[in-house]
Amino acid sequence: MNKVKTTSEKSLTNNSRIVGLLAQLEKINSESLLVEADTARYVTSKILHLAQSQEKTRKEMTAKGSPAIEVILSTLENTRDLQTTLNILNILIELVSVGGGRKASALVSKGGTQILLQLLLSASKDSPPNEELMVQLHSLLAKIGPKDKKFGVKARISGTLNISLNLVKQNLQNHRLILPCLQVLRVYSTNSVNAVSLGKNGVVELMFKIIGPFSKKNTGLMKVALDTLAALLKSKTNARRAVDRGYVHVLLTSYVDWHRHDSRHRHMLIRKGILQCIKSVTNIKLGRKAFIDANGMKILYNTSQDCLAVRTLDPLVNTSSLIMRKCFPKNRLPLPTIKSVFHFQLPVIPISGPVAQLYSLPPEVDDVVDESDDNDDIETESEIENENEADKDHLFKNDDIETDINKLKPRQELGRPVEELKMYEQFFPELSDNFKDYDLVSKEPKPFPSDANLSGPIVVPTAGEEQSVEADHSVKGITVKESNHLQAEECNKRPAFLDLPKRDRNKDNILQQQSDKKKLLSSCQCLNYEIVKGLDRITLQNTSKNEQYYKTGCVMKKESKTSLTSLTCNKPCQHVSSCGSVLFEGRSAQLGKLCFTGVDPEEEDDSSSHSSGEQVILEVPDILPLHDPDLYIEIVKNTKSVPEYSEVAYPDYFGHIPPPFKEPILERPYGVQRTKISQDIERLIHQNDIIDRVMYDLDNPSYSVPEDGEILKFNSKFESGNLRKVIQIRKNEYDLILNSDINSNHYHQWFYFEVSGMRPGIGYRFNIINCEKSNSQFNYGMQPLMYSVQEALNSRPWWTRVGTDICYYKNHFARSSIAAGGQKGKSYYTITFTVNFPHKDDVCYFAYHYPYTYSTLRMHLQKLESLHNPQQIYFRQDTLCETLSGNSCPLVTITAMPESNYYEHICQFRNRPYIFLSARVHPGETNASWVMKGTLEYLMSNNPTAQSLRESYIFKIVPMLNPDGVINGNHRCSLSGEDLNRQWQNPNPDLHPTIYHAKGLLQYLAAIKRLPLVYCDYHGHSRKKNVFMYGCSIKETVWHTNVSAASCDLIEDLGYRTLPKILSHIAPTFSMSSCSFVVEKSKESTARVVVWREIGVQRSYTMESTLCGCDQGKYKGLQIGTRELEEMGAKFCVGLLRLKRLTSPLEFNLPSSLLDFENELIESSCKVTSPTTYVLDEDEPRFLEEVDYSAESNDEQDIELADNAGDYEPSVQEEGLSDSEMTRTHLP
């Protein structure tokens, strides 16, 4: 019978043959296998032959819908014949080996794991077990085990764990058998419970019997044994067992032996396997101590230095670096307290939160470090964690997305009684002013009646509720354009006028400020510069002139006066002199030290500094229309800081213009981070080489710096300055410690300090050692900024990007649990950069980003006020409120003056939609102020498009929401120690006055039914490139949840996408793909979400500007500068004008040459065919250099409170996850 079948098979195709064989096998399965044992053996051998020889057969057997695997597994489960079993195991090995992971997963899904484990259990009962069967069975289990997530659990339940272990114990010399057994043990050990169970049965000791010194024999077995051991040692129990038996020393000795003998580097995988075992065992404190005691730091340091020359050995260097960083003893920051060195007593102490905790700490508590700064609870290896990182982050992120539709739906709530909101009437005089006493552009025959009450489409809203008696009287003969749709509903209402005094603009072009009774600028010259010249040149005023000026090196002087400041030196200038005369009386202030020995010979001719005599003349060229050094000094007098600063930083005094050259994103040299880490490790190994001398210390004001011509001098005692302590480490290397935000114990990122006493041609390394974010754009091409006084005196007054060998990495200084949100063992991070100074004894300033002080804002606003045309521009500057320390918070109103006081013109004036803008709620995000500067300058310019914009909108602008934080050099918080952008839900008028009253302005507009068309809060983003926006959308938020909410049933106006889409077309720095419109729970108290949800503004945005640069558009590959930031502010205005055309085309007619814009723009922005992708990964891809920036094997995932974030919405946190974790929006 069998022979007949065989003959017929020969005439069939291969496909038919395998189908026929499988059919036979299936038939045998249904019959008695004892009777058909020979047939089953024959059929399986034929299938094996076909599978081994023909790829087509293998594909057919594993094709979708093929019953082959089920039939074969069924036979395996039922057969008792050894040869049939071996045949089937070989068939499965063949299929899995060729098909890869997908085929192994298919085998797992069909129940293969349980069948194989059961076969292993039954085969182990034979005495002795069949070696060939055990080899094949373990080989197959080793291949499918990694593809079965429950493999370890299944093995433990079936009781097969110790079978493989006992086989190894009994057959140590049989390498063919124990190799697949070790491979299976390696898979078992990835389950922590299994690892502990195996450890109790002596598996750790067994592995060390296999692992030995250098040998060319059995290297494959050695590699598998090391991998198995590394997995086993991730268990704390096994790691302790290894430490107790002295195996750390054994591993180090073995590593050195392999390092010495493997001269041709053919066994790098074994060397790395030993390092992986050391890495696992040092996850526990005992392991780290044993490593240090065994001189592990020096051993790995020396061996890794030997490997640096060979690029292929980088994995060994990187793993060694990780181990050394982890085992480097955790140090406390050399500070008496992590709290800010400055103290400000709050008027009200919060009941709960971090500020309340700080105030409740007993004075004797050491908050710098914990008693135990080691985190012993980590058993998982970083690589294993990284495999699941995306899943974990995705779940975490989804948890943060708001899923409650009812909470997502905007609900307009005033939140305060209407009577209370009447206090904000004073900030809206434009809604009641009849402009009777103003010198307007034209006089119409019918002036607006100041005492008449009118009805019709005019809206003159106030918070008052009483209606005029004659409100129903109509005015005949007047036609009014159709009102904007936003105001249509209130056209028949007319509250009473506000009775406010009028100013005579003919006599006084400078508007009175409520906070400043005294005029700070009495003799200000009104320069007839156009602030911005045309849409094509909105990057910077008079850019070409500036560049020409700097190329020729000449000095422009004011026509009316030359701004000269004489500084009398105490010593002749050929020596280092400390200059800084008192510049004004009363509350004194002075310029910082100016130290130099004269100018370089080649710069003598065009320099404005002279070294003859004992006087140094600083000539400040007048090329910045909005900058006036004398005015700046006057304003500084009235700026109140907690430390009571009396010095002025030279960059703030001289001013800044963008340099006339491009500054590319820095290319990171390969291996720079591990080189820096290696130098840090040298501190421990060669401690005698470390100077460890304090050079600057705000905690000890009486500390005197030693007189030494070779050392640098530091200072940060000026507005916005931040540098707490400096320690000299080596001759030209300094550790810098930043100050915490006032009334806080963290938020270290912003820095701004002065350096002097340098020598040219020397590379000075600066390490800022107490940063908190887990990653930074300093790892991706961003450079810090430097301002040279010598360069400024040589007609180059600009901040430039400087520094080489820049990187950002975790260091060996630990945060206390108080600073780390209750977690112990959290490390700080280091920003390191090296600078070569161009001039001897220069005075240079370093900053995280382009500084923009509160006094600079006040100066710019006053200059804008004095330069504007009052007949054309309505400009008003008010004080919204006073801050905690008594500084005024400016509120600016900008629009176009009405054409006349004729009724129709006043009607159009008052019915203009509002645009509400704010910025600088986070002091360290100085780029937000530069964007705001661009917006303000554009709005005040003579550009015809700017005039059209002013005629279209009324702008209410709070350019600096956190003046106190800016003044005192904070990074994130106000003086209350809280992130003001997390206080919008329930701002406290005593602790958060600027937020309370800014929200009050918006609530007032809501009360009088004049909701802003757009609200935008300007921010900076520290971990992403380009400029982008966050908005609010119910539908897009629901898309990103796993809730089965029928998002398609939601009806939502997609107008929130229009402005970002417009900006992506017109602003070169703007990236639509980085925008997100998802609402997260952690952001529910931010301005963006509260203004959208409570006030009811649909177009409520946060606009984020990069601190680094751009990776798209015409600025791709360049670091961002103030020119590009100001351009973005101006382009935002242009975008608003185009938005006006799209939202109200009937009443807005402009020349097409100014506003040609594709009609399909709004259509493309509204046809969202698919949800945005919620990407929860690092903002930037990791470098090939695998010494990771954000995590080590003994650290938990860096997930921290959202409040730690730099406002990169929708990141869950800034100092934890990856600061961005951005939602990405893809448009068709």
Side-chain angles (χ1 to χ4, degrees), residues 146-179:
K147 299 299 177 183
D148 188 347
K149 294 180 180 179
K150 300 291 184 182
F151 185 74
V153 177
K154 291 173 182 176
R156 187 167 67 250
I157 292 173
S158 63
T160 58
L161 278 184
N162 291 321
I163 294 174
S164 304
L165 178 60
N166 291 332
L167 277 174
V168 176
K169 286 181 179 179
Q170 296 160 11
N171 299 274
L172 276 175
Q173 302 308 314
N174 187 344
H175 297 156
R176 180 174 179 270
L177 174 59
I178 68 172
L179 179 61

Side-chain angles (χ1 to χ4, degrees), residues 197 292 509 595 597 604 716 916 995 1002 1018 1068 1119 1152 1190:
S197 175
I292 296 290
N509 290 342
C595 304
T597 58
E604 209 165 56
S716 62
F916 201 109
I995 304 302
L1002 289 158
Y1018 293 3
Q1119 295 185 76
S1152 58
S1190 59

Side-chain angles (χ1 to χ4, degrees), residues 984-985 1084-1095:
W984 277 79
Q985 267 188 326
E1084 63 183 1
S1085 56
T1086 60
R1088 165 180 64 105
V1089 178
V1090 170
V1091 173
W1092 171 72
R1093 181 180 289 167
E1094 294 184 21
I1095 308 299

Side-chain angles (χ1 to χ4, degrees), residues 830-1015:
T830 291
I831 299 171
T832 182
F833 55 93
T834 300
V835 175
N836 283 275
F837 294 99
H839 304 288
K840 183 180 180 182
D841 291 327
D842 196 359
V843 176
C844 293
Y845 292 80
F846 289 95
Y848 181 60
H849 198 66
Y850 300 92
Y852 191 101
T853 65
Y854 170 75
S855 298
T856 299
L857 171 68
R858 295 280 307 280
M859 174 186 67
H860 284 165
L861 290 178
Q862 290 206 33
K863 294 291 286 183
L864 284 172
E865 190 172 4
S866 66
L867 293 172
H868 85 283
N869 178 358
Q871 287 189 326
Q872 196 173 37
I873 303 174
Y874 180 98
F875 180 95
R876 179 184 173 90
Q877 186 182 167
D878 294 298
T879 296
L880 176 63
C881 63
E882 284 200 345
T883 64
L884 290 178
S885 63
N887 293 292
S888 62
C889 178
L891 170 66
V892 175
T893 305
I894 300 174
T895 189
M897 291 293 286
E899 188 176 340
S900 72
N901 56 13
Y902 184 57
Y903 166 80
E904 183 177 3
H905 295 147
I906 298 295
C907 172
Q908 190 277 338
F909 175 86
R910 295 180 184 173
N911 275 293
R912 293 169 188 167
Y914 274 95
I915 302 289
F916 201 109
L917 307 177
S918 60
R920 206 67 185 281
V921 71
H922 295 139
E925 297 167 10
T926 56
N927 45 357
S929 282
W930 289 100
V931 176
M932 180 58 76
K933 178 175 181 281
T935 294
L936 288 168
E937 288 184 21
Y938 187 83
L939 288 176
M940 297 295 289
S941 70
N942 294 327
N943 188 288
T945 310
Q947 178 61 20
S948 298
L949 186 65
R950 291 189 295 266
E951 291 170 355
S952 304
Y953 298 113
I954 300 173
F955 288 85
K956 285 289 178 186
I957 303 174
V958 185
M960 192 171 284
L961 279 167
N962 192 352
D964 287 345
V966 172
I967 292 165
N968 293 287
N970 284 5
H971 173 65
R972 183 90 178 159
C973 302
S974 68
L975 293 186
S976 70
E978 296 166 297
D979 180 349
L980 290 183
N981 203 37
R982 295 296 185 279
Q983 311 303 323
W984 277 79
Q985 267 188 326
N986 296 295
N988 184 308
D990 297 317
L991 293 176
H992 324 119
T994 59
I995 304 302
Y996 181 82
H997 293 295
K999 185 178 181 181
L1001 293 176
L1002 289 158
Q1003 289 170 321
Y1004 173 77
L1005 286 173
I1008 64 173
K1009 302 193 182 306
R1010 290 295 299 273
L1011 282 180
L1013 179 68
V1014 171
Y1015 170 77

Side-chain angles (χ1 to χ4, degrees), residues 69-70 73-74 76-77 92 104-119 141 144 148 154:
I69 291 180
E70 288 96 329
L73 285 176
S74 177
L76 180 64
E77 191 173 15
L92 293 174
S105 299
L107 189 58
V108 169
S109 66
K110 298 182 188 306
T113 305
Q114 291 91 330
I115 295 172
L116 292 172
L117 289 173
Q118 194 60 42
L119 177 60
L141 284 169
I144 71 167
D148 188 347
K154 291 173 182 176

